[in-house]
Structure formats: structure tokens, C-alpha cells
Amino acid sequence: MIARTYAEFASGLTLDAVPERVRERACHLMLDSIGTGIAALGERWGQRAFAAAWDLGEGRSPVLGHGRSLAPREAALVNGLLMHGLDYDDTHSRGIIHATVSSLPAALAVADNAGASGADLLRAYIIAMEVSTRVASVAAGGFHRHGFHPTSLCGAFGATVGAGLLMGLDAQQIGMAQGIVLSMAGGSLEFLEDGAWTKRLHPGWAASSALTAATMAKHGFVGPKAAYEGRFGLYSLYLRDGAPAGLADACAGLGESWEIENVSVKPLPACHMTHAAGDAAAAICGEHSLSGEDIARVTVLVPEAVIPIVCEPAAPKKVPATSYDAQFSIPYVVATGLLKGRFTLDELDGAALADPDVLKLAQKVDYAVDPDTDYPVHFTGEVIVETTDGRRIAKREAVNRGAADRPLSNAEIRAKYDDNAARRVSRSQADAIADAVLDIANHPAARLSDLLAAATTADILEGTPA
């Protein structure tokens, strides 16, 4: 049974058995998602989610920027939402999953509640990441094809294993917890149709469900054993056409190869599927300084599988009504890159979304299937510009920046964190959090929890319960 294998792996792994480079990268991935969560503080959807969570369960668990205010499950829910809400968090490309933003909130809530060490928190996070990314990778993109979001669907399983470990569950109980969370895992892609807020909720829901499932297992509640490969297990149920051919890969290399090293850190605050095209467009801008009037037509080559996510339906992609629409829009990201040479969080505010020059150019952006892509190994992209004076300018990104084989360095991740944190907290607060994360193994988990809870500025809590 796959669940049993994961449980035994988690129960038997010590932090000393994890290579130092993996531990260091894990700390930087945690820092990256904490930075994206800090940058999201004060967003309207975050305030509404916190208000709802307050109604569901006040408590003493740490919530990023909101004090020690919620019960553990609700804290995990809100922290996951904040870390993922700007869509600037990491992605495991083969699994097409944002794994940190369920793994870390679940581990943080349980570690704090249990008075665990930072080393135990780090170990649980690494284990959760290894499980979630493998569970997602087996489907080879199949969950997306059927309208399910692996970040929520698969993240629930890794987060459950990590949470169970921190709760002191034995291997049998951790195996059972995975069977229990099978009935809680989900995540619809319907948000793509109208820019709804529900995608932001997905990793937090996975983390919250993980705490529920692990606690049920702790108290002897019985769940199915074949959570993954069963007749109505994860793959047969959500892929609809039976277990995938690569089912054996679910446990391949556990404890020997580390999927954390295959996690991509986002250099742009948009869907990873737009990054290669966005970078290509920015490079063309830097080399040619074209105006919108200089451009007759733009064609973007993209992997066929990403078309329903970032290219269609065409109308809202060309005129995004919300920041989320823009983050999942090849026309908007490419038009912005061609005119501004960048795509940052500033390109997602109201004024940027209404920029008439960008919107006019977005109408000229079309797409075609990339015949040379190796997706999902890489999120490839090529931008071809035809100018009004007859020139053809092309730029290809065969390996998207931030991918496992073109990674952002740890120093670049720290710089990204600093930029994100500076949007909401003081430099001293940002540095204290970074120091606590990067040295997490040498301090109690509560040290980091206290710092995250206190990471606030005066306007963040406006509109949320006092």
C-alpha cells in the first residue's frame, strides 16, 4: 500500500538523514512562501477569509500578520490562503503543484500547538513536500485535465503525513490518516471561468483538512487503507480512467532522491505557465524598445495542455477584469512585458489593469501550439512579434527561469523575500523572520510562530475582527 510506504518513510526519517543542501533549500522555500504571504497582508480576500475563520474558531495559534488569534485548523486555513493568494509561491513542475503552501501551514500550526522544536517542524515540512509532490507527479497533468487543482487535492495528503508526524502518530496511524483525508481532498478549477477567489483557498483547505484527518486517526478513527490505488482511491476517482501507468513512481526514490530539489521558485507573480512567454516578451522589450504602435501582431507558442488555463476563453484573457484574470493571461503578461520590460506585483494593481496601451496590445496577442515543448518538464514559451515595418522578432525560453535545471539561487530567493516583505513590514521585522526561518533547526518552532503573528502594519487588520 502506498499510504503505508509513506507512513513508514515519515516515521523512520531523521533530519540528520536529509542532506544539508536539501535542508538549506527547504528553509529557503519556506522563506519564499512566507514572503509571498507577507506581501498579501491587507488584501481584501485575505481580510474576508480571516473574518470567516474568526467566526469558525478563535484560539491561540499564529496567523501571519494577525497575531495568535485562531484555532489551529483555522490558522492553517488562513496561512495557506495568504501564502498562495498572490500566486507568487513555488511550483513543483512535474506535479504542477504548489506544495509549500499546504505543507508549511499544516506543519506550523501543529508544531506550535505541540510545542515542537524547529528541527521537528523542518523535518515534517520536508516529508510533506516529498509526499505531496510525488502524489501529484503520478497523474502527469491528469488532474488539471479533469478540472481538479493538485495544490489542494494532492497537498492534503502530504500535509496529513507531516501533521501526523508532529502529532506523534505511529506509522499505522499516519497510514490511516491518509485514508481519512481522501474523503476531504478536493479543489475545483472553476475559478478560471470568472476570477473567483476559491483557488486562493485551496492550499489552506488542504492544510486544515490534514489537521482534521490526523487528529481523527490519532483517536482511532478508521479510514480506508488503499487511499491512492484503491477502486475508489485518489487516482481512479479523480482521473476517472483508472490508476495511471506510473503508479509505482509514487514511492520511487523516497529517502534517496529529493523532490524539493525539483521545486521551482517563481520569478514572476503569475501562473507558472506564463513565465517563459513573459520573460521572452521582456527580453524583446529590452533589446528593441517597441511601442504598441510598432507591433502589428504577436504570436505566442505555448504547450497545448496550458491553453485552457492561460489562453482561453480569449475574451477575459485579453481584457482581464481582476488581478487573478491577469495572472492567468498570456495576452496580458506578454503585452505588459513587451511594453514595460517587467512583470511585478505592481502590474497587478487597478491602474495597471486599466492601462489602455497594454490592453490595446493584448488584443493583438494570439497563441499557437508549441511543437517543440517538453511540458510539463518545463513551461516553455516563445514570443514572435511581427512589426508594422515588416520585421519578425522572436525570442524563445525553452527552460523557464526558476525551473529545477535553471533555478533561482538561494541568494535570489532571499532578495525576492526582501522585496515582498518590504511591501508590508519593517526591515528589522523582515530580517528577524528571515533569520528565524533560515536557522529554524536550532530554535523552538514557537520562535518563528511569534514573529509571523507579529508581522503587521497598522492598516493590515482594517476591516477584520479586533
Side-chain angles (χ1 to χ4, degrees), residues 310-336:
V310 294
C311 299
E312 294 289 350
K317 300 300 183 186
K318 291 179 181 289
V319 187
T322 68
S323 62
Y324 237 41
D325 288 342
Q327 288 172 301
F328 285 81
S329 167
I330 282 286
Y332 181 80
V333 171
V334 168
T336 298

PDB file of all heavy atoms in Angstrom, residues 310-336:
ATOM      1  N   VAL A 310      -4.369  29.428 -19.553  1.00  0.00           N
ATOM      2  CA  VAL A 310      -3.796  30.773 -19.700  1.00  0.00           C
ATOM      3  C   VAL A 310      -4.104  31.437 -21.051  1.00  0.00           C
ATOM      4  O   VAL A 310      -3.696  32.587 -21.261  1.00  0.00           O
ATOM      5  CB  VAL A 310      -2.265  30.740 -19.476  1.00  0.00           C
ATOM      6  CG1 VAL A 310      -1.944  30.373 -18.037  1.00  0.00           C
ATOM      7  CG2 VAL A 310      -1.568  29.804 -20.449  1.00  0.00           C
ATOM      8  N   CYS A 311      -4.811  30.765 -21.927  1.00  0.00           N
ATOM      9  CA  CYS A 311      -5.132  31.351 -23.247  1.00  0.00           C
ATOM     10  C   CYS A 311      -6.625  31.433 -23.537  1.00  0.00           C
ATOM     11  O   CYS A 311      -7.050  32.288 -24.326  1.00  0.00           O
ATOM     12  CB  CYS A 311      -4.457  30.538 -24.360  1.00  0.00           C
ATOM     13  SG  CYS A 311      -2.672  30.479 -24.281  1.00  0.00           S
ATOM     14  N   GLU A 312      -7.397  30.559 -22.958  1.00  0.00           N
ATOM     15  CA  GLU A 312      -8.831  30.510 -23.227  1.00  0.00           C
ATOM     16  C   GLU A 312      -9.623  30.525 -21.914  1.00  0.00           C
ATOM     17  O   GLU A 312      -9.116  30.041 -20.889  1.00  0.00           O
ATOM     18  CB  GLU A 312      -9.181  29.232 -24.019  1.00  0.00           C
ATOM     19  CG  GLU A 312      -8.594  29.185 -25.423  1.00  0.00           C
ATOM     20  CD  GLU A 312      -9.263  30.160 -26.385  1.00  0.00           C
ATOM     21  OE1 GLU A 312     -10.312  30.748 -26.008  1.00  0.00           O
ATOM     22  OE2 GLU A 312      -8.741  30.355 -27.482  1.00  0.00           O
ATOM     23  N   PRO A 313     -10.842  31.075 -21.932  1.00  0.00           N
ATOM     24  CA  PRO A 313     -11.505  31.757 -23.044  1.00  0.00           C
ATOM     25  C   PRO A 313     -10.825  33.079 -23.375  1.00  0.00           C
ATOM     26  O   PRO A 313     -10.335  33.779 -22.477  1.00  0.00           O
ATOM     27  CB  PRO A 313     -12.933  31.960 -22.541  1.00  0.00           C
ATOM     28  CG  PRO A 313     -12.805  31.956 -21.059  1.00  0.00           C
ATOM     29  CD  PRO A 313     -11.685  31.032 -20.721  1.00  0.00           C
ATOM     30  N   ALA A 314     -10.816  33.415 -24.646  1.00  0.00           N
ATOM     31  CA  ALA A 314      -9.991  34.515 -25.136  1.00  0.00           C
ATOM     32  C   ALA A 314     -10.403  35.875 -24.593  1.00  0.00           C
ATOM     33  O   ALA A 314      -9.548  36.693 -24.248  1.00  0.00           O
ATOM     34  CB  ALA A 314     -10.023  34.525 -26.658  1.00  0.00           C
ATOM     35  N   ALA A 315     -11.685  36.142 -24.499  1.00  0.00           N
ATOM     36  CA  ALA A 315     -12.147  37.489 -24.130  1.00  0.00           C
ATOM     37  C   ALA A 315     -11.613  37.959 -22.778  1.00  0.00           C
ATOM     38  O   ALA A 315     -11.004  39.036 -22.691  1.00  0.00           O
ATOM     39  CB  ALA A 315     -13.672  37.559 -24.176  1.00  0.00           C
ATOM     40  N   PRO A 316     -11.815  37.209 -21.692  1.00  0.00           N
ATOM     41  CA  PRO A 316     -11.291  37.684 -20.401  1.00  0.00           C
ATOM     42  C   PRO A 316      -9.772  37.648 -20.307  1.00  0.00           C
ATOM     43  O   PRO A 316      -9.190  38.337 -19.468  1.00  0.00           O
ATOM     44  CB  PRO A 316     -11.934  36.732 -19.380  1.00  0.00           C
ATOM     45  CG  PRO A 316     -12.270  35.509 -20.150  1.00  0.00           C
ATOM     46  CD  PRO A 316     -12.618  35.984 -21.526  1.00  0.00           C
ATOM     47  N   LYS A 317      -9.139  36.848 -21.161  1.00  0.00           N
ATOM     48  CA  LYS A 317      -7.675  36.838 -21.161  1.00  0.00           C
ATOM     49  C   LYS A 317      -7.125  38.133 -21.778  1.00  0.00           C
ATOM     50  O   LYS A 317      -6.098  38.651 -21.345  1.00  0.00           O
ATOM     51  CB  LYS A 317      -7.142  35.641 -21.943  1.00  0.00           C
ATOM     52  CG  LYS A 317      -7.565  34.280 -21.411  1.00  0.00           C
ATOM     53  CD  LYS A 317      -7.118  34.033 -19.983  1.00  0.00           C
ATOM     54  CE  LYS A 317      -7.502  32.632 -19.527  1.00  0.00           C
ATOM     55  NZ  LYS A 317      -7.221  32.402 -18.099  1.00  0.00           N
ATOM     56  N   LYS A 318      -7.807  38.646 -22.767  1.00  0.00           N
ATOM     57  CA  LYS A 318      -7.347  39.869 -23.437  1.00  0.00           C
ATOM     58  C   LYS A 318      -7.739  41.141 -22.680  1.00  0.00           C
ATOM     59  O   LYS A 318      -7.082  42.177 -22.811  1.00  0.00           O
ATOM     60  CB  LYS A 318      -7.885  39.922 -24.864  1.00  0.00           C
ATOM     61  CG  LYS A 318      -7.267  38.862 -25.787  1.00  0.00           C
ATOM     62  CD  LYS A 318      -7.846  38.949 -27.186  1.00  0.00           C
ATOM     63  CE  LYS A 318      -7.261  37.877 -28.111  1.00  0.00           C
ATOM     64  NZ  LYS A 318      -5.850  38.130 -28.455  1.00  0.00           N
ATOM     65  N   VAL A 319      -8.806  41.054 -21.888  1.00  0.00           N
ATOM     66  CA  VAL A 319      -9.232  42.191 -21.069  1.00  0.00           C
ATOM     67  C   VAL A 319      -9.493  41.676 -19.653  1.00  0.00           C
ATOM     68  O   VAL A 319     -10.639  41.487 -19.244  1.00  0.00           O
ATOM     69  CB  VAL A 319     -10.496  42.872 -21.635  1.00  0.00           C
ATOM     70  CG1 VAL A 319     -10.801  44.154 -20.846  1.00  0.00           C
ATOM     71  CG2 VAL A 319     -10.343  43.188 -23.106  1.00  0.00           C
ATOM     72  N   PRO A 320      -8.455  41.421 -18.877  1.00  0.00           N
ATOM     73  CA  PRO A 320      -8.646  40.850 -17.541  1.00  0.00           C
ATOM     74  C   PRO A 320      -9.368  41.825 -16.617  1.00  0.00           C
ATOM     75  O   PRO A 320      -9.000  42.999 -16.515  1.00  0.00           O
ATOM     76  CB  PRO A 320      -7.217  40.580 -17.068  1.00  0.00           C
ATOM     77  CG  PRO A 320      -6.343  41.465 -17.883  1.00  0.00           C
ATOM     78  CD  PRO A 320      -7.032  41.605 -19.203  1.00  0.00           C
ATOM     79  N   ALA A 321     -10.390  41.319 -15.950  1.00  0.00           N
ATOM     80  CA  ALA A 321     -11.179  42.162 -15.055  1.00  0.00           C
ATOM     81  C   ALA A 321     -10.586  42.233 -13.657  1.00  0.00           C
ATOM     82  O   ALA A 321     -10.847  43.182 -12.916  1.00  0.00           O
ATOM     83  CB  ALA A 321     -12.618  41.636 -14.985  1.00  0.00           C
ATOM     84  N   THR A 322      -9.806  41.225 -13.279  1.00  0.00           N
ATOM     85  CA  THR A 322      -9.229  41.165 -11.944  1.00  0.00           C
ATOM     86  C   THR A 322      -7.749  40.813 -12.036  1.00  0.00           C
ATOM     87  O   THR A 322      -7.260  40.391 -13.086  1.00  0.00           O
ATOM     88  CB  THR A 322      -9.928  40.086 -11.095  1.00  0.00           C
ATOM     89  OG1 THR A 322      -9.619  38.785 -11.618  1.00  0.00           O
ATOM     90  CG2 THR A 322     -11.443  40.285 -11.092  1.00  0.00           C
ATOM     91  N   SER A 323      -7.059  40.970 -10.923  1.00  0.00           N
ATOM     92  CA  SER A 323      -5.645  40.607 -10.904  1.00  0.00           C
ATOM     93  C   SER A 323      -5.463  39.121 -11.183  1.00  0.00           C
ATOM     94  O   SER A 323      -4.485  38.724 -11.831  1.00  0.00           O
ATOM     95  CB  SER A 323      -5.027  40.977  -9.551  1.00  0.00           C
ATOM     96  OG  SER A 323      -5.653  40.260  -8.494  1.00  0.00           O
ATOM     97  N   TYR A 324      -6.408  38.292 -10.721  1.00  0.00           N
ATOM     98  CA  TYR A 324      -6.290  36.863 -10.972  1.00  0.00           C
ATOM     99  C   TYR A 324      -6.459  36.550 -12.451  1.00  0.00           C
ATOM    100  O   TYR A 324      -5.761  35.698 -12.998  1.00  0.00           O
ATOM    101  CB  TYR A 324      -7.318  36.093 -10.133  1.00  0.00           C
ATOM    102  CG  TYR A 324      -6.686  35.058  -9.244  1.00  0.00           C
ATOM    103  CD1 TYR A 324      -5.496  35.337  -8.561  1.00  0.00           C
ATOM    104  CD2 TYR A 324      -7.253  33.802  -9.070  1.00  0.00           C
ATOM    105  CE1 TYR A 324      -4.914  34.405  -7.749  1.00  0.00           C
ATOM    106  CE2 TYR A 324      -6.665  32.862  -8.247  1.00  0.00           C
ATOM    107  CZ  TYR A 324      -5.494  33.162  -7.585  1.00  0.00           C
ATOM    108  OH  TYR A 324      -4.896  32.235  -6.780  1.00  0.00           O
ATOM    109  N   ASP A 325      -7.389  37.231 -13.094  1.00  0.00           N
ATOM    110  CA  ASP A 325      -7.527  37.068 -14.544  1.00  0.00           C
ATOM    111  C   ASP A 325      -6.199  37.394 -15.222  1.00  0.00           C
ATOM    112  O   ASP A 325      -5.758  36.691 -16.136  1.00  0.00           O
ATOM    113  CB  ASP A 325      -8.605  38.013 -15.091  1.00  0.00           C
ATOM    114  CG  ASP A 325     -10.011  37.601 -14.716  1.00  0.00           C
ATOM    115  OD1 ASP A 325     -10.212  36.436 -14.336  1.00  0.00           O
ATOM    116  OD2 ASP A 325     -10.907  38.461 -14.792  1.00  0.00           O
ATOM    117  N   ALA A 326      -5.560  38.466 -14.783  1.00  0.00           N
ATOM    118  CA  ALA A 326      -4.304  38.907 -15.396  1.00  0.00           C
ATOM    119  C   ALA A 326      -3.190  37.898 -15.170  1.00  0.00           C
ATOM    120  O   ALA A 326      -2.366  37.655 -16.069  1.00  0.00           O
ATOM    121  CB  ALA A 326      -3.903  40.271 -14.827  1.00  0.00           C
ATOM    122  N   GLN A 327      -3.133  37.305 -13.982  1.00  0.00           N
ATOM    123  CA  GLN A 327      -2.075  36.348 -13.674  1.00  0.00           C
ATOM    124  C   GLN A 327      -2.192  35.064 -14.485  1.00  0.00           C
ATOM    125  O   GLN A 327      -1.213  34.334 -14.638  1.00  0.00           O
ATOM    126  CB  GLN A 327      -2.102  36.008 -12.181  1.00  0.00           C
ATOM    127  CG  GLN A 327      -1.619  37.154 -11.299  1.00  0.00           C
ATOM    128  CD  GLN A 327      -1.830  36.857  -9.835  1.00  0.00           C
ATOM    129  OE1 GLN A 327      -2.955  36.622  -9.378  1.00  0.00           O
ATOM    130  NE2 GLN A 327      -0.756  36.844  -9.071  1.00  0.00           N
ATOM    131  N   PHE A 328      -3.370  34.803 -15.015  1.00  0.00           N
ATOM    132  CA  PHE A 328      -3.600  33.606 -15.822  1.00  0.00           C
ATOM    133  C   PHE A 328      -3.859  33.974 -17.282  1.00  0.00           C
ATOM    134  O   PHE A 328      -4.567  33.268 -17.986  1.00  0.00           O
ATOM    135  CB  PHE A 328      -4.786  32.811 -15.256  1.00  0.00           C
ATOM    136  CG  PHE A 328      -4.447  32.066 -13.997  1.00  0.00           C
ATOM    137  CD1 PHE A 328      -4.430  32.701 -12.774  1.00  0.00           C
ATOM    138  CD2 PHE A 328      -4.114  30.720 -14.032  1.00  0.00           C
ATOM    139  CE1 PHE A 328      -4.100  32.033 -11.614  1.00  0.00           C
ATOM    140  CE2 PHE A 328      -3.777  30.033 -12.879  1.00  0.00           C
ATOM    141  CZ  PHE A 328      -3.772  30.693 -11.659  1.00  0.00           C
ATOM    142  N   SER A 329      -3.238  35.060 -17.726  1.00  0.00           N
ATOM    143  CA  SER A 329      -3.470  35.556 -19.081  1.00  0.00           C
ATOM    144  C   SER A 329      -2.174  35.711 -19.851  1.00  0.00           C
ATOM    145  O   SER A 329      -1.370  36.603 -19.558  1.00  0.00           O
ATOM    146  CB  SER A 329      -4.203  36.897 -19.024  1.00  0.00           C
ATOM    147  OG  SER A 329      -4.163  37.528 -20.279  1.00  0.00           O
ATOM    148  N   ILE A 330      -1.969  34.891 -20.846  1.00  0.00           N
ATOM    149  CA  ILE A 330      -0.827  35.068 -21.749  1.00  0.00           C
ATOM    150  C   ILE A 330      -0.891  36.429 -22.452  1.00  0.00           C
ATOM    151  O   ILE A 330       0.121  37.146 -22.524  1.00  0.00           O
ATOM    152  CB  ILE A 330      -0.751  33.913 -22.763  1.00  0.00           C
ATOM    153  CG1 ILE A 330      -0.163  32.660 -22.118  1.00  0.00           C
ATOM    154  CG2 ILE A 330       0.059  34.299 -23.990  1.00  0.00           C
ATOM    155  CD1 ILE A 330       1.326  32.708 -21.861  1.00  0.00           C
ATOM    156  N   PRO A 331      -2.043  36.852 -22.987  1.00  0.00           N
ATOM    157  CA  PRO A 331      -2.073  38.163 -23.660  1.00  0.00           C
ATOM    158  C   PRO A 331      -1.664  39.314 -22.746  1.00  0.00           C
ATOM    159  O   PRO A 331      -0.892  40.198 -23.153  1.00  0.00           O
ATOM    160  CB  PRO A 331      -3.536  38.293 -24.113  1.00  0.00           C
ATOM    161  CG  PRO A 331      -3.993  36.886 -24.287  1.00  0.00           C
ATOM    162  CD  PRO A 331      -3.322  36.121 -23.187  1.00  0.00           C
ATOM    163  N   TYR A 332      -2.136  39.324 -21.503  1.00  0.00           N
ATOM    164  CA  TYR A 332      -1.815  40.437 -20.607  1.00  0.00           C
ATOM    165  C   TYR A 332      -0.359  40.394 -20.168  1.00  0.00           C
ATOM    166  O   TYR A 332       0.338  41.420 -20.174  1.00  0.00           O
ATOM    167  CB  TYR A 332      -2.732  40.407 -19.380  1.00  0.00           C
ATOM    168  CG  TYR A 332      -2.469  41.555 -18.433  1.00  0.00           C
ATOM    169  CD1 TYR A 332      -2.991  42.827 -18.696  1.00  0.00           C
ATOM    170  CD2 TYR A 332      -1.687  41.388 -17.296  1.00  0.00           C
ATOM    171  CE1 TYR A 332      -2.740  43.896 -17.848  1.00  0.00           C
ATOM    172  CE2 TYR A 332      -1.427  42.450 -16.435  1.00  0.00           C
ATOM    173  CZ  TYR A 332      -1.958  43.702 -16.708  1.00  0.00           C
ATOM    174  OH  TYR A 332      -1.698  44.763 -15.876  1.00  0.00           O
ATOM    175  N   VAL A 333       0.122  39.221 -19.786  1.00  0.00           N
ATOM    176  CA  VAL A 333       1.508  39.105 -19.330  1.00  0.00           C
ATOM    177  C   VAL A 333       2.477  39.463 -20.453  1.00  0.00           C
ATOM    178  O   VAL A 333       3.456  40.192 -20.245  1.00  0.00           O
ATOM    179  CB  VAL A 333       1.783  37.691 -18.793  1.00  0.00           C
ATOM    180  CG1 VAL A 333       3.272  37.486 -18.516  1.00  0.00           C
ATOM    181  CG2 VAL A 333       0.981  37.438 -17.513  1.00  0.00           C
ATOM    182  N   VAL A 334       2.217  38.979 -21.651  1.00  0.00           N
ATOM    183  CA  VAL A 334       3.104  39.250 -22.788  1.00  0.00           C
ATOM    184  C   VAL A 334       3.031  40.722 -23.203  1.00  0.00           C
ATOM    185  O   VAL A 334       4.066  41.361 -23.455  1.00  0.00           O
ATOM    186  CB  VAL A 334       2.769  38.311 -23.958  1.00  0.00           C
ATOM    187  CG1 VAL A 334       3.466  38.767 -25.238  1.00  0.00           C
ATOM    188  CG2 VAL A 334       3.172  36.880 -23.615  1.00  0.00           C
ATOM    189  N   ALA A 335       1.833  41.274 -23.269  1.00  0.00           N
ATOM    190  CA  ALA A 335       1.700  42.690 -23.643  1.00  0.00           C
ATOM    191  C   ALA A 335       2.418  43.585 -22.617  1.00  0.00           C
ATOM    192  O   ALA A 335       3.101  44.546 -22.981  1.00  0.00           O
ATOM    193  CB  ALA A 335       0.227  43.076 -23.741  1.00  0.00           C
ATOM    194  N   THR A 336       2.285  43.246 -21.348  1.00  0.00           N
ATOM    195  CA  THR A 336       2.972  44.013 -20.307  1.00  0.00           C
ATOM    196  C   THR A 336       4.480  43.911 -20.467  1.00  0.00           C
ATOM    197  O   THR A 336       5.206  44.912 -20.382  1.00  0.00           O
ATOM    198  CB  THR A 336       2.554  43.506 -18.914  1.00  0.00           C
ATOM    199  OG1 THR A 336       1.144  43.694 -18.737  1.00  0.00           O
ATOM    200  CG2 THR A 336       3.300  44.258 -17.823  1.00  0.00           C
TER     201      THR A 336
END
